[in-house]
Amino acid sequence: MTNDRRLRPVDLARLAGVSAQQIRNYEDAGVLPPAARTASGYRVFGEAHRGALLAYRALMRGYGPVTAAGIMRTLHAGDVPGALALVDAAHAALHEERVSLRAASEALELLALEPPAPLPRSGGLRIGEVAVLLGVRTSALRVWEGAGLLTPGRERGTGYRIYEPADVRDARLVHTLRRSHYLFDQIRPVLEGLRREGSSAALRAAVAARGQALTARSRVMIEGAGALHTYLERFGATAAATGPTADGQG
């Protein structure tokens, strides 16, 4: 490959809106392929470096600087499958977050359709009373507690479990999601969100806002993956890893 255009660090810096030193840092970190050096030691960049910079900046917006740098570093080390595996992992993580968000949304809708039954008495309930109220076995409640989904208090003196209204709410939510075949790891973020927001209405608003954020992030991740594809198609792993020579030849 022939690079007709020779670029200085400042040229790339202006393109990305960063300092020339940051461009040097990118090369040192492997974000950019190795640059050739002139006899006097100055870095010489080319179009491959420009392409790498544009790909990295596009990836950074969706994948974050750490993952984006890891993708580019792995690519420039000659491991294209490894770089693409990092891309896949980031999309898989986004998918898991969508699954958890969907679980929260479905749980809120199901709970809205099934108003909670009144508690048999005021104050805390024993585990057997909660089991009867929900129509589950006490062993199920213990399993959920062992998984960290429920945290009932203990009665002073006897050590019996005491379920306060918030604990009963959590148990009802777990039961609802388990009937829909959600896994514990998918239920846990729903409970954490409900406890953090303090009410189902607040959680519903938070879920909606997070859904919009995930959609926006998904779009910029697609843009970043497209920029990476363009870089690979134009320069290829070998060209990207070698960079130009001082006379402009790759």
Side-chain angles (χ1 to χ4, degrees):
M1 181 189 70
T2 299
N3 286 324
D4 295 327
R5 186 181 180 192
R6 296 174 62 180
L7 300 170
R8 302 166 299 169
V10 67
D11 297 322
L12 294 180
R14 289 169 180 164
L15 176 67
V18 298
S19 67
Q21 182 57 51
Q22 185 63 55
I23 297 299
R24 300 184 188 98
N25 293 342
Y26 283 161
E27 188 213 351
D28 292 339
V31 170
L32 303 182
R37 301 283 182 138
T38 65
S40 55
Y42 290 107
R43 288 175 172 88
V44 179
F45 296 106
E47 286 300 314
H49 298 91
R50 179 180 183 276
L53 178 62
L54 292 176
Y56 169 70
R57 300 291 289 186
L59 287 169
M60 186 174 63
R61 288 191 289 273
Y63 297 80
V66 175
T67 299
I71 292 169
M72 299 304 292
R73 187 183 304 113
T74 305
L75 175 64
H76 293 145
D79 185 5
V80 176
L84 297 180
L86 293 175
V87 173
D88 294 341
H91 284 273
L94 185 67
H95 171 70
E96 285 302 315
E97 193 167 352
R98 283 190 183 280
V99 169
S100 296
L101 202 66
R102 185 168 63 247
S105 180
E106 290 184 5
L108 291 171
E109 294 306 318
L110 288 172
L111 290 177
L113 294 174
E114 300 178 7
L119 299 183
R121 57 184 174 80
S122 60
L125 303 182
R126 297 278 179 85
I127 188 171
E129 294 174 306
V130 177
V132 171
L133 185 66
L134 300 184
V136 301
R137 295 182 178 181
T138 56
S139 59
L141 293 169
R142 292 190 181 94
V143 169
W144 300 344
E145 181 182 346
L149 301 178
L150 303 178
T151 56
R154 296 282 180 162
E155 188 176 64
R156 184 176 300 176
T158 65
Y160 291 141
R161 293 174 175 84
I162 294 296
Y163 288 75
E164 300 294 341
D167 300 314
V168 176
R169 176 204 64 190
D170 291 349
R172 182 179 286 112
L173 186 58
V174 173
H175 180 44
T176 299
L177 291 177
R178 289 298 290 164
R179 285 186 299 176
S180 298
H181 307 291
Y182 281 101
L183 303 177
F184 288 163
D185 286 344
Q186 297 166 341
I187 296 173
R188 191 170 292 107
V190 181
L191 291 170
E192 291 172 352
L194 186 59
R195 293 162 183 162
R196 181 175 60 251
E197 300 301 332
S199 70
S200 59
L203 179 57
R204 184 174 286 105
V207 166
R210 186 57 184 161
Q212 294 174 354
L214 289 181
T215 297
R217 185 184 172 201
S218 183
R219 291 175 66 93
V220 294
M221 286 176 74
I222 291 173
E223 292 175 3
L228 179 65
H229 173 73
T230 298
Y231 176 57
L232 284 170
E233 284 290 296
R234 183 175 180 187
F235 299 104
T238 301
T242 57
T245 59
D247 63 357
Q249 300 296 318

